[in-house]
Amino acid sequence: MKRRQFIQAAGLGVAGAAIAAPAIAQSNPEIKWRMPASWPKSLDTIYGGVEVMCKAVSDATDGKFQIQPFAAGEIVPGLAIVDAVQNGTVEIGHTASYYYFGKDPTFGFGTSVPFGPNARLNQGWWMQGGGQDVLNEFYKKYNIRGILAGNTGAQMGGWFRKEINTVDDLKGVKMRIGGWAGKIMQKLGAVPQQIAGGDIYPALEKGTIDAAEWIGPYDDEKLGFYKVAPHYYAPGWWEGGSMLFAFVNLDKWNALPKHYQAVLEQAGHLANTNMMAKYDALNPQALRRLIAGGTKLHVFSQPIMEASYKATLELHAETAAGNESFKKVNESMMAFTKNSYQWFRLAENSYDQFMMRAMSA
Amino acid sequence: MKRRQFIQAAGLGVAGAAIAAPAIAQSNPEIKWRMPASWPKSLDTIYGGVEVMCKAVSDATDGKFQIQPFAAGEIVPGLAIVDAVQNGTVEIGHTASYYYFGKDPTFGFGTSVPFGPNARLNQGWWMQGGGQDVLNEFYKKYNIRGILAGNTGAQMGGWFRKEINTVDDLKGVKMRIGGWAGKIMQKLGAVPQQIAGGDIYPALEKGTIDAAEWIGPYDDEKLGFYKVAPHYYAPGWWEGGSMLFAFVNLDKWNALPKHYQAVLEQAGHLANTNMMAKYDALNPQALRRLIAGGTKLHVFSQPIMEASYKATLELHAETAAGNESFKKVNESMMAFTKNSYQWFRLAENSYDQFMMRAMSA
């Protein structure tokens, strides 16, 4: 090659590089985010879902979009995720929306309100019943956007030191139970307590509290409640199918390339289905171990369920009367729930009823 | 700049470009695939899922990975998807695995075998119960890989011109019902018929057949069966929670960049959850219209369910005896199903039972 030709070729090369470099940046820019969660690492079901989501985002972007997960308290307190995302301390965080009902009870929806839809119908509402539209509209007030990223399924109703057969038996019962459901328990005469996970066992053991709800067999087993409060009740009517969310700061979301937004949503779907699957794989085994360890299984009596439902309807009506967001989201969710359960009870339920009998043989 | 410096700079530029160009190609190469499906476009629930998945793949790759969906018969006959993917005529195809049970009855698993898990537990098995491992091992024989990409939920048991109250009532009933379930119906004395979707209505109207199963309220309504066979039975015990798959040619899969593989899987998860949500949104409304149009709802009697279950166990034992793949997958799936239903009946079922009653008020 002559010197002049080389220079020209080199010149083209430079031009090519000048065009190519922004094209790379545009296509798959390197982005690093941090995702604190409300969960300790010991909660490998839910925290595991956070890890699954982070890995999925990296996997789908050839490692260009990296999200580092953090357990509760590592960089953000477990119950301050929404605050940290809202003010941009972190770009994204994994949590349950209802932890923030103190800001506005509308935060209850999404994860779960008492007597809401089950896991499948909750995500049905989110995806195709207008749920994500009404909630993301609400979340805008907090400069965040919710991405579906997990589900626990129907939770258990908790561990009681004594049997609870009637609504009267709930009177005066000091129960560790989360905020919104606690308000309903209070209407029924119980005394709700807010106690962090690690402090529940000693409180139950000493009798400082009489009962505690947590999640379900696999997660509960680790905390050992069955040793000191053997009566295990189903169902957790305040958590029929709790969805967990990755909340994204809205400015950070809007600044993302569109295809990274798509990746985030799709990675959330993988994490969501995988978490539910993990619960369905692990809970049955834990349940058997708990029974072998002396756990007494019970289902809340129909009068207790009905009184709880009635108290829920009252609380929701009172709340809706003074809160337009709550009213709007509640109406959307309950319309979908009512409709979809009317279908669910036909094919799904008749199938499940037969299978549950056949599979228990 | 001196000439020598310029040349050196240009040289560096060339080197940079030489590295950058393959990096672009490596990062998000442009790939175009075709995905024929087993579904007509009129089946907007399931075919809609194919479109959702194709869009999700494009969305997550900034339009670089394009998959064009095709309805049944446009480029591949609806029941020849696996063949077309296997031989590389197309890279990917969307179908129900059980259409191919004639090749090997092991193809029944995945989508659904009679008295298998419901929708949630089927995908639980796929994700966390070893399902995708044992099935993708089996699919290797056909040079394909399965990606979860849809679910219909529990289907209905079909439309009957006359009421079916006892097992004896099934004797001689000419029923349009798919292959594997048809074999069980045959054990019960019915006469299974293979009839394409569009031909079912006239056959039912003329009385050439006495009964027909299709999917569920929303899809069935379009075909008008309620006008000529008003007795609508639940559940479709042969389809407790049918998973649909995107089957990928294994050579094409292996040639994909790893992050495109991840995108495909994650897009499948979005399509899967979205399809189930769509059914849960549309079926209740269709069910109400069907009832208003004269449909008589029934649940198969316990003796019919038990006889069907017994016949299924017999057929599966006979099949497993001569087929190692079938035996292995059946054992994996049924172990997960049995375990998980034992958990499902506790919190999920007690919650759903209450909610179904409350939501029907």
Side-chain angles (χ1 to χ4, degrees), chain A residues 116 120 154 288 339 348 351, chain B residues 116 154 280 288 339 348 351 353:
Chain A
R120 178 168 130 188
R288 264 200 294 278
N339 264 322
E348 288 296 334
Y351 188 77
Chain B
D280 285 332
R288 265 201 293 277
N339 264 322
E348 288 295 334
Y351 188 77
Q353 288 307 314

Side-chain angles (χ1 to χ4, degrees), chain B residues 9-321:
Chain B
L12 285 169
V14 171
I19 292 160
I24 297 170
Q26 191 67 25
S27 177
N28 272 0
E30 292 200 1
I31 293 182
K32 288 192 197 300
W33 279 12
R34 298 183 304 166
M35 175 146 69
S38 293
W39 332 107
K41 286 184 182 165
S42 58
L43 211 56
D44 61 306
T45 41
I46 307 187
Y47 187 76
V50 185
E51 294 176 315
V52 165
M53 183 172 177
C54 292
K55 180 175 185 305
V57 169
S58 173
D59 286 351
T61 59
D62 200 15
K64 298 291 174 20
F65 188 3
Q66 293 281 350
I67 305 180
Q68 188 179 356
F70 292 93
E74 284 190 330
I75 58 171
V76 172
L79 300 181
I81 300 297
V82 159
D83 307 82
V85 175
Q86 181 179 1
N87 66 28
T89 305
V90 292
E91 299 85 0
I92 190 169
H94 196 276
T95 189
S97 66
Y98 58 35
Y99 288 148
Y100 311 92
F101 85 94
K103 298 178 188 293
D104 187 317
T106 312
F107 271 105
F109 302 102
T111 294
S112 66
V113 291
F115 298 100
N118 65 17
R120 177 168 131 187
L121 302 181
N122 210 1
Q123 69 190 24
W125 171 63
W126 178 258
M127 297 293 287
Q128 289 282 333
Q132 60 183 324
D133 300 327
V134 289
L135 278 178
N136 274 325
E137 185 61 36
F138 165 73
Y139 296 146
K140 272 188 192 164
K141 295 186 199 174
Y142 299 86
N143 197 37
I144 61 175
R145 178 187 174 86
I147 292 175
L148 177 58
N151 203 305
T152 64
Q155 297 190 11
M156 287 292 288
W159 302 85
F160 291 74
R161 286 160 55 99
K162 291 183 187 160
E163 281 191 50
I164 301 291
N165 297 308
T166 67
V167 179
D168 265 0
D169 289 345
L170 282 171
K171 299 240 180 323
V173 165
K174 295 191 288 292
M175 181 173 185
R176 185 273 174 198
I177 184 167
W180 195 251
K183 280 177 181 277
I184 294 161
M185 275 292 180
Q186 204 161 17
K187 276 182 180 264
L188 299 175
V191 186
Q193 315 271 323
Q194 301 272 16
I195 301 176
D199 300 330
I200 303 174
Y201 183 90
L204 265 182
E205 190 180 28
K206 285 180 211 148
T208 316
I209 58 173
D210 307 301
E213 68 89 33
W214 186 236
I215 301 174
Y218 178 76
D219 297 324
D220 291 10
E221 182 189 25
K222 293 180 190 169
L223 299 183
F225 304 141
Y226 67 99
K227 297 175 203 160
V228 287
H231 300 286
Y232 197 24
Y233 279 82
W237 44 258
W238 47 92
E239 309 230 23
S242 300
M243 296 194 288
L244 303 169
F245 290 94
F247 283 116
V248 188
N249 177 284
L250 210 47
D251 303 318
K252 302 288 182 184
W253 171 262
N254 289 329
L256 277 184
K258 291 277 180 233
H259 64 297
Y260 280 15
Q261 292 179 351
V263 163
L264 267 182
E265 299 263 10
Q266 293 172 38
H269 278 288
L270 168 62
N272 176 53
T273 301
N274 193 61
M275 189 189 296
M276 191 68 264
K278 197 165 172 182
Y279 272 114
D280 285 332
L282 295 174
N283 272 331
Q285 301 164 20
L287 185 61
R288 265 201 293 277
R289 290 190 299 267
L290 287 170
I291 293 169
T295 298
K296 312 286 180 213
L297 289 184
H298 306 271
V299 173
F300 283 128
S301 67
Q302 191 67 10
I304 289 177
M305 291 295 285
E306 280 167 12
S308 306
Y309 182 51
K310 187 166 165 280
T312 298
L313 292 182
E314 283 171 14
L315 178 63
H316 288 191
E318 289 158 21
T319 309

Side-chain angles (χ1 to χ4, degrees), chain A residues 283-300:
Chain A
N283 272 333
Q285 301 165 20
L287 185 61
R288 264 200 294 278
R289 290 191 298 268
L290 288 170
I291 293 169
T295 298
K296 313 285 179 213
L297 289 183
H298 306 272
V299 173
F300 283 128

Side-chain angles (χ1 to χ4, degrees), chain A residues 11 19 35 42 69 87 93 102 130 153 226 228 232 263 288 304 309 326 335:
Chain A
I19 291 162
M35 175 147 70
S42 57
N87 66 27
Y226 67 99
V228 287
Y232 197 22
V263 163
R288 264 200 294 278
I304 289 178
Y309 181 52
F326 188 95

Side-chain angles (χ1 to χ4, degrees), chain A residues 56 59 116 118 120 128 154 259 266 274 280 288 302 338-339 341-342 348-349 351-353 357 359 361, chain B residues 56 59 116 118 120 128 154 259 266 274 280 288 302 338-339 341-342 348-349 351-353 359 361:
Chain A
D59 286 351
N118 65 17
R120 178 168 130 188
Q128 289 282 334
H259 63 296
Q266 293 173 37
N274 194 62
D280 285 332
R288 264 200 294 278
Q302 191 66 11
K338 188 165 183 164
N339 264 322
Y341 262 118
Q342 287 177 6
E348 288 296 334
N349 182 54
Y351 188 77
D352 280 344
Q353 288 307 315
R357 274 195 298 272
M359 295 299 112
Chain B
D59 286 351
N118 65 17
R120 177 168 131 187
Q128 289 282 333
H259 64 297
Q266 293 172 38
N274 193 61
D280 285 332
R288 265 201 293 277
Q302 191 67 10
K338 187 165 183 163
N339 264 322
Y341 262 118
Q342 287 176 8
E348 288 295 334
N349 183 55
Y351 188 77
D352 280 344
Q353 288 307 314
M359 294 300 113

